[in-house]
Amino acid sequence: MASGIRDKVAILGMGCSRFGERWSDNAEDLMIEAFTEALGDAGIEKNQIDAAWLGTAIEEQHVGKSAVPLSMALRLPNIPVTRVENYCASGSEAFRGAVYAVAAGAADIALALGVEKLKDTGYGGLPQRNRGSVNDLFWANVSAPGSFAQLASAYQAKHGIDAGDLKRAMAHISVKSHDNGSRNPKAHLRNRIDEDKVLNAPIIAEPLGLFDCCGVSDGSACAIVTTPEIAKSLGKHDLITVKALQLAASNGLEAQHNSWDGSHFVTTRKCAERAYKEAGISNPRDQISLFEVHDCFSITELVTMEDLFISPEGGAVKDIMDGFYDADGKVPCQIDGGLKCFGHPIGASGLRMIYEMYLQLQGRAGDRQRKEEPVFGMTHNLGGFPHQNVCSLAIVGKMGA
Amino acid sequence: MDLGILAFGGYLPQSRLQRTEIAKMHGWYNPGLKGLAKGERAIANWDEDAITMAVEAARDCLKGQDRSSISAVFMASTSFPFEDRQNAGVVAEALNLKSQLMTLDLAASQRAGSSGLSVALQAANGSGAPILFTASEQRQTKAASPQEMTYGDGAAAVLVGKGDVVARFIGAHTESADFVDHFRGSGHEYDYAWEERWLRDEGYLKIVPAAINAVLEKTGIAAGDITTFCFPAAMKRVAGMLAKKAGLNETAVADNLQATCGETGAAHPVVMLVHALETANPGDRMLVTGFGQGCDALIFEVTDAIKTLAPRTAISGHLARRRADSNYARFLTVNGLVTMEEGIRAEVDKQTGLSTHYRNRDMAQRMIGGCCKECGTLQFPKSNVCVNPNCGAIGTQEDHAFADKKARLNSFTSDRLTYSPDPPAHYGMIQFEDGGRLMADFTDIDPDQDLQVGMAMKLMFRVKDHDKNRGFRRYFWKATPDNDDQGTAPAEAAE
């Protein structure tokens, strides 16, 4: 294996806009909001940035194609800017681009910014779009909740789990995210809910009800990265560095080969093995302090905790009900409210997860700060559909940990 | 070698609208409908049309038959989905027939079914090779019209040719008369009809006996030797009056299926013929008529071969594959008789790239996937590189037809977010027993049936998308519970 990214790149500064229904703001406003915070946090000037990456997915909805919208919005000084898109992992892709550029020595300081303006569609949920002229010939008429909802049917059948037990564990996930989101001033949804409300909500896609689904939000998040040496030279100490960055894309096996049972993510498992190895983590259940996972739907978070090898296979229901992943549990998951309540502006989500880890690792997370000093934080992004997706993982932690 | 019917099949949509529901809705407006408010009628699902029903009837017909010898596909209908795109050609593709084939649409009269059958027999007699003849109809009716009560949707198919026929063709006769009891002008959606009593007295009772007498005379068959008389009209007692007039036995009058199905228009002579053949005995003589600007009369004699034909669903099987439907509002909705708020999600442009469509027609219309020559893994769609992680061979896949493969359900949902003309949208992953899988739209999901991982599923040819802006419709295969094949153990995952 390659030597990996561990401790080669430090996070110099980060920023995140308030997520939500930002009716009076456009994508440029959101980008500036995240960028201004990050630049101030990094303590540098704009012209010290050597290269930038823009992550955005449904560009038809807001900024349009290419990297120019970022370059124009921030008035960057004609530096290289690249637009990346990998479904809901687009923000993580922007981060990967910036981190790798610094690690390669191609840039001293690089910027990653993700943005999405989703609330201009005229309805809730993600925009309904064509899937390409060949896919439209044969793809089922899936929505995001419908494609992810199927995990529940396959998971239940595989592990012989009672439908009611599974639904209650899913509800616990949503209640937890609302509790956590209520303590986060930048979160889209800040109301607390109870299990009954989740269980009695209208069905979106069987068995997912309204509260099993994440919010669709406007928002932007941003990271400025550099080498540990430069960070120190800029007066930074107690550095937060990148420990692992991994990506796994489906190759069509899940969609076309009968070896996949539909109850888990092939890509997450492969990606996790590589990420732990790259970060030098041998026992993730004990070593990782915090998780931000792609909880687009409650069932996604549930199976992901097994795919990341934290809960044993078939054991996530128990861990969840035991409070293992609660904010005051052994290993909190979505301590900031997650996609569910912080919100899900697609291109910004991966960077928002890293933003939360960065704050928590530095002890700057305010009311929701984890008391036990976190050492490693892991973020997990999924793009696409369970049977055809991209998984992106990042592990960040204290320098030298 | 005998000329006649080599095989037969039928198709009726699963949903049966209760006529009492129609009367309940429109009684205030047209109390006369109450007199027709008995029984039920087969109604097409939103993703069905004359083409999809013809395909299903033909698949039923071709069970156990050699598809490679078929020389032509004819389709008769007055409700073709396309006015200019050959409808029989779509049927032939869906059946994965060879391209060395004649395809032909027969239209513009309720006689299209019976005349088309006559023409198919003559053509098969000439060419010597079997011809697949399909007749299918989805008739549009205005709300609160008597036609809404009496019409039904359905299809039938027969394979005609020379050889070991199950029903020998004895002879046919056609009386032609430009007798216009109803019509539908070009560009008009609905039929316009004249008085029923005139149709009965000047039409049926004069024109049909002339055709029957002529065919009996031509074939030398005595009226009393006819065992089955198929007269496809909804009007009560007329068939009996005709039988009496032509000297046919009263017992020969076949069930016109008005109570259970409704009159399937140009398809109905063939639907009734297929229904009669299902229970026919060797030696039975069947007189099939079709009325519309004249009358066709055809006579068949059932042979011993009928006992050896492979089992098929046919009309009786589809009558049994029924779901009583009391949702008249849905019927209005899927037939475009009421303007529903579909929501912004319905506004996605469904334009079809015709070049893409043509290039991928084996996949999308014929349901052809791949079989890897190196490792034998089946996969859909067919691709350049084998999906088997232990193989990965390049350029090794041969065509493999999936349409008739048995499948099992792997995962599923019912989705109320995505746009569907008949929500919720049901879909999920199905896994073919021999290998290969598909994230498939589902169709004909009975609200009372619980979907279960592992249950048997089969594919049906359906409308995938309606492009309302351009009038195009795209077809693909959808999965539905295979209720004939439930109760066995779930398939083991391959490898």
Side-chain angles (χ1 to χ4, degrees), chain A residues 123-124 126 128 130 133-134 136 138-143 146 150 153 204-206 254-258 260 387, chain B residues 344-345 348-349 356 380-381 411-416 418-419 427-429 431 435-437 439 441 464 474 476:
Chain A
Y123 52 85
L126 292 175
Q128 198 90 20
N130 297 55
S133 63
V134 177
D136 280 348
F138 75 103
W139 274 28
N141 183 28
V142 300
S143 70
Q150 293 173 57
S153 60
I204 303 295
E206 200 71 47
E254 302 97 311
Q256 284 178 281
H257 194 256
N258 291 353
W260 181 58
H387 69 290
Chain B
I344 301 181
R345 286 176 192 279
V348 174
D349 194 333
T356 317
F380 187 89
S411 63
F412 61 91
T413 189
S414 55
D415 186 338
R416 291 203 165 268
T418 199
Y419 167 69
Y427 53 84
M429 183 75 84
Q431 179 162 311
R437 53 173 43 190
M439 181 62 77
D441 288 312
K464 175 91 176 85
R474 199 163 58 220
F476 187 57

Side-chain angles (χ1 to χ4, degrees), chain A residues 332-361:
Chain A
C333 184
Q334 328 296 59
I335 199 164
D336 64 358
L339 298 177
K340 172 73 184 80
C341 291
F342 203 141
H344 186 25
I346 297 179
S349 284
L351 281 158
R352 176 230 102 211
M353 296 177 179
I354 295 166
Y355 173 76
E356 178 66 12
M357 292 305 174
Y358 174 73
L359 294 182
Q360 291 278 352
L361 289 163

Side-chain angles (χ1 to χ4, degrees), chain A residues 264-309:
Chain A
H264 69 283
F265 289 88
V266 171
T267 52
T268 301
R269 292 185 180 191
K270 297 214 161 144
C271 206
E273 283 171 8
R274 294 203 296 259
Y276 294 137
K277 193 169 176 192
E278 185 176 26
I281 285 170
S282 54
N283 187 348
R285 189 172 166 111
D286 287 339
Q287 287 176 271
I288 306 278
S289 321
L290 295 166
F291 286 96
E292 288 291 324
V293 305
H294 201 86
D295 58 325
C296 48
F297 304 98
S298 54
I299 187 67
T300 320
E301 179 171 330
L302 188 146
V303 304
T304 295
M305 300 328 290
E306 295 180 14
D307 292 339
L308 294 175
F309 310 111

Side-chain angles (χ1 to χ4, degrees), chain A residues 12-19 22 29-44 74 111 113 184-186 220-224 236 342 352 355-356 358-359 362 364-365 368:
Chain A
L12 191 59
M14 288 201 77
C16 185
S17 77
R18 185 171 57 78
F19 282 14
R22 301 288 300 265
D29 300 324
L30 301 172
M31 288 194 260
I32 289 292
E33 192 175 319
F35 178 66
T36 304
E37 183 189 346
L39 200 64
D41 184 40
I44 59 165
L74 307 188
L111 169 74
L113 185 142
N184 182 352
K186 286 186 176 177
S220 177
C222 175
I224 296 169
K236 300 282 179 182
F342 203 141
R352 176 230 102 211
Y355 173 76
E356 178 66 12
Y358 174 73
L359 294 182
Q362 292 189 328
R364 295 162 56 195
R368 63 185 188 280

